[in-house]
Amino acid sequence: MEREAWVLQEKDAEVIEKPALWLLADGEHTGGLLGANRLSLRAGEAGTKPHYHKKSAEAFYVLDGALRMLVGSETVTVERGGYVVIPPGVRHAFAAPPDLAADVLITLAPGVERFEYFRALPGILRGDVEPAEIERIHERYDVHFVDAPEWDERG
């Protein structure tokens, strides 16, 4: 079966604000092979709380700055040029360190559909979505939040 290539110019990418997230490729664009986003965090800005994915691996490549990450039970700071692969089922979280911004390319394989989740996220964070609906959304998009007392996204 022949697949079509996906080409997207930066100027054409949809951007979700707070944090700045460029939606680059979703599963529908890649025949389910992968998904990709670019995330830009200001110094000290939170990315996400601890969570895991059952169905896909996630990879982080730090384009510039640094990214603080919870990987399993370990907190690491990944500097520019660093690369982290999170297998399915491994809890993780990320934020920019207090003194540096982070510019990160994030890929997901296989490419599950997740753009609609990112579009819903600002409303979820504002408290505009009922808790039961949030739970349904998280299950649908394979985002499972967990406790991680050792993670402090602020530093």
Side-chain angles (χ1 to χ4, degrees):
M1 175 168 83
E2 187 173 328
R3 299 179 196 256
E4 291 192 27
W6 175 248
V7 177
L8 179 73
Q9 301 294 339
E10 180 181 27
K11 67 180 177 60
D12 298 325
E14 179 180 351
V15 181
I16 307 293
E17 297 296 331
K18 298 198 187 234
L21 180 71
W22 288 259
L23 305 181
L24 302 177
D26 215 5
E28 71 175 302
H29 305 121
T30 66
L33 295 173
L34 62 86
N37 304 297
R38 180 178 175 186
L39 175 68
S40 180
L41 298 171
R42 296 181 311 272
E45 186 175 16
T48 186
K49 295 180 181 203
H51 67 284
Y52 68 93
H53 309 289
K54 293 178 183 176
K55 301 175 185 172
S56 55
E58 201 165 21
F60 298 79
Y61 178 74
V62 179
L63 298 164
D64 200 14
L67 188 67
R68 281 189 68 254
M69 295 188 74
L70 173 70
V71 179
S73 60
E74 181 181 355
T75 298
V76 298
T77 298
V78 184
E79 297 175 350
R80 182 176 181 223
Y83 188 66
V84 177
V85 177
I86 308 290
V90 173
R91 68 185 184 152
H92 56 287
F94 48 88
D99 56 341
L100 280 174
D103 189 7
V104 184
L105 177 65
I106 304 170
T107 54
L108 182 75
V112 297
E113 300 297 320
R114 198 163 286 152
F115 279 12
E116 287 303 319
Y117 174 71
F118 295 130
R119 291 177 182 126
L121 204 49
I124 292 171
L125 295 174
R126 280 192 310 267
D128 297 345
V129 182
E130 294 295 322
E133 179 65 7
I134 291 171
E135 188 173 317
R136 186 192 69 73
I137 289 169
H138 286 154
E139 188 62 37
R140 178 175 181 201
Y141 294 106
D142 189 30
V143 179
H144 309 280
F145 287 97
V146 294
D147 289 331
E150 69 276 25
W151 173 250
D152 181 359
E153 62 197 30
R154 293 175 306 242

